[in-house]
Amino acid sequence: MTSRRPSPEASAMNVGGFVRDDTPTAEVDRREAVMASLAGTVRELVDATIRTTVDDEEVQRVRDDLAALVDRLRAAQLPGPAGIRYNAELRAWNWGNAVIGAANAIAPPLRVVHGPSGCHADVVLGAAYEGPPGLVHGGVSAMLLDHIMGETASGMRRATFTGTLTMRYRRGTPLGALRLEAEIVREEGRKVFVAGSIADADGVTVEAEGVFIQPAGTTGDSPPEQPST
């Protein structure tokens, strides 16, 4: 007889947009590693799909193989988006997030490091994130900055949402290794003002300023956001 682990949805309770889930942290960590491994392989598939030069017949054979794999994964799935879950130990997981989601092959993924004065992240962007030839799509730059600046504003202790985000593209951002940084400039009531940047080995390519809003009626005891790794 095969043992079955309890599914996350079996022990979950939705509160204010966050899902309280009683899955133990050790089990969350185990499952996250499995899903991250799958997403990493799918990420490689996306890159290979963009860059492949195999003949049409081989492309069609691979397509058919992939369709069968998709059917296997859809045999058991959530009814909608993954959302943000957290347990009694305040371990949070946001596996579907477009920037940091462990199960999301679209996510680079960004690994955000929190420090006393802000956040930073090192990331490598490949062919899937190209806009102009050899350069990162401007919308991707905005998405990554929005996320790291939002994490900086929240400080892992409060919920914040983007109010405004102003971008200055100083030059094209090359595909490859990049550094993102963000810091809080000041706070006014529920507003948190944050500055952020993207840089390559030659210096800053994109700068941003944002205002992030803590929703009315919330406190620093809000459910946690996805932790940095």
Side-chain angles (χ1 to χ4, degrees):
M1 179 177 179
T2 302
S3 63
R4 293 175 60 88
R5 294 181 173 87
S7 62
E9 59 268 28
S11 58
M13 178 177 64
N14 194 325
V15 179
F18 294 85
V19 179
R20 169 66 184 270
D21 189 312
D22 291 331
T23 303
T25 295
E27 174 63 12
V28 174
D29 291 343
R30 184 205 64 80
R31 179 67 173 180
E32 183 170 275
V34 171
M35 297 308 298
S37 176
L38 172 62
T41 300
V42 176
R43 201 172 290 117
E44 289 294 326
L45 173 64
V46 170
D47 184 78
T49 299
I50 294 170
R51 299 165 58 194
T52 189
T53 59
V54 300
D55 60 45
D56 292 352
E57 290 75 16
E58 179 65 2
V59 169
Q60 291 165 354
R61 284 191 291 268
V62 171
R63 178 203 61 199
D64 292 343
D65 289 344
L66 289 174
L69 294 176
V70 170
D71 287 341
R72 289 171 60 184
L73 289 174
R74 290 202 184 281
Q77 65 179 21
L78 297 171
I84 300 178
R85 295 171 179 260
Y86 69 101
N87 62 17
E89 302 168 72
L90 297 186
R91 166 62 159 96
W93 58 103
N94 191 3
W95 295 342
N97 185 278
V99 178
I100 60 170
N104 191 343
I106 296 173
L110 205 64
R111 304 297 186 192
V112 179
V113 178
H114 290 254
S117 59
C119 295
H120 70 270
D122 295 304
V123 67
V124 177
L125 298 182
Y129 305 98
E130 184 177 46
L135 301 176
V136 178
H137 192 291
V140 172
S141 296
M143 178 178 69
L144 298 183
L145 281 169
D146 179 46
H147 186 91
I148 194 170
M149 292 168 69
E151 280 212 27
T152 300
S154 74
M156 303 297 289
R157 60 185 174 84
R158 59 188 174 190
T160 59
F161 293 87
T162 309
T164 61
L165 187 67
T166 302
M167 311 289 296
R168 288 189 295 276
Y169 296 88
R170 297 177 58 173
R171 59 184 173 89
T173 301
L175 295 171
L178 299 168
R179 174 86 166 191
L180 286 83
E181 297 182 349
E183 63 179 357
I184 293 177
V185 176
R186 70 182 190 278
E187 299 186 31
E188 296 178 3
R190 294 187 292 109
K191 295 181 180 180
V192 185
F193 296 78
V194 181
S197 65
I198 299 176
D200 64 3
D202 295 324
V204 173
T205 62
V206 185
E207 294 177 327
E209 296 176 349
V211 180
F212 295 81
I213 313 297
Q214 185 175 5
T218 63
T219 68
D221 296 325
S222 298
E225 295 186 22
Q226 177 77 10
S228 60
T229 56

